[in-house]
Amino acid sequence: MRLSDRIAEVAVIGGTGLEDLFEGFETVNVGTPYGISHTLSIGEIGGRRVAFLPRHGRKHSIPPHKINYRANMYALYKIGVERIIATNAVGAININFRPGDLVVPHDIIDFTRQRHLTFYDQSPVIHVDFTEPYCPEIRGILIEVARGVAGTVHEQAVYVCTEGPRFETPAEIRMFRALGCDVVGMTGMPEAVLARELGICYATICFVSNMAAGISGKLTYEEVIETSKIVMPKIRRIIVEAVGSLPRVRGCQCSSVNKPRSGG
Ligand code: HPA
């Protein structure tokens, strides 16, 4: 059940390094059948009402495998969100990618193990189409804006999502490379598929924070944070410009799915 008053039409989900976006004019916690969402800040960008959701919490206190993805995504659906721009820090598996590079993935592989990955746990049995996991319209806008802001962006990349919170082993990274993966992160799923189940457009702008395990020495979270500090001003600009560039009416097929009939 959506709220009768639309609170926001666009959402930004901030990953590592993006724990705030704007001085919102209100904050809301939304009750859902899956629990209470993170606190959402509501603000305005380019004349659009935008909800900002920091995936790991405002103080980066929620690890990737403990995020209540269903509550967060259902909350965004309930307040009227139709389009989501996400950010993710990723490790580079593709050796042509470098720390600081921007990536707009086009496909995804799910190696998570213990997350609630669907709204369709019960009857009716629903299998959503996921042939094009990311919204092509938002991807196109992110790529164009990122090119303008940063000069280059990797616009074809397969994102593999691991369970975490540990980093991967070198053997896992070799396996992922053999499978065709370019970047690895811990939060891309089930966010992307839950958005699709709700008919919400979803795409992500990733930044490479480190080379993946076994490519260049040991991995530390500090390395991820250091790179995020350098790249974040660009990511913020890209998000603001991309939100402002979204056409008023959606020109993609993302909304043409069966939506869960949960009472929430
Ligand atoms: N692996 C998984 N998740 C990540 C990484 C990584 O190397 N870097 C940033 N998020």
Side-chain angles (χ1 to χ4, degrees), residues 16 88-92 159-160 162 164-168 173 184-187 207-213 219 224:
T16 299
N88 301 86
V90 292
Y159 175 114
V160 58
T162 56
R166 66 167 176 84
F167 288 115
E168 299 69 37
I173 293 301
V184 57
M186 300 177 194
T187 50
F207 67 93
V208 175
S209 56
N210 56 281
M211 298 308 289
L219 301 187
V224 174

Side-chain angles (χ1 to χ4, degrees), residues 27-153:
T27 58
V28 284
N29 291 304
V30 184
T32 78
Y34 313 98
I36 297 176
S37 73
H38 283 358
T39 301
L40 308 173
S41 311
I42 312 298
E44 222 173 84
I45 298 178
R48 305 291 175 87
R49 282 176 77 91
V50 177
F52 176 69
L53 188 157
R55 194 189 278 123
H56 297 283
R58 223 156 286 274
K59 301 219 155 69
H60 202 94
S61 54
I62 309 164
H65 62 297
K66 292 288 184 193
I67 294 168
N68 190 342
Y69 294 95
R70 288 196 301 184
N72 289 343
M73 300 306 279
Y74 200 84
L76 295 177
Y77 171 70
K78 206 168 154 183
I79 66 168
V81 165
E82 285 187 341
R83 294 192 269 214
I84 296 174
I85 296 177
T87 69
N88 301 86
V90 292
I93 297 171
N94 186 326
I95 53 169
N96 297 317
F97 292 11
R98 288 282 170 269
D101 283 2
L102 300 179
V103 186
V104 179
H106 75 285
D107 210 342
I108 189 161
I109 295 182
D110 187 2
F111 266 86
T112 62
R113 294 176 186 169
Q114 55 153 26
R115 304 181 185 186
H116 291 293
L117 45 78
T118 182
F119 291 110
Y120 294 113
D121 268 340
Q122 293 157 2
S123 175
V125 177
I126 300 282
H127 306 282
V128 290
D129 176 59
F130 213 35
T131 308
E132 197 166 29
Y134 297 105
C135 171
E137 189 167 64
I138 303 185
R139 282 191 75 247
I141 291 168
L142 284 174
I143 290 165
E144 200 181 313
V145 172
R147 223 182 264 134
V149 169
T152 59
V153 54

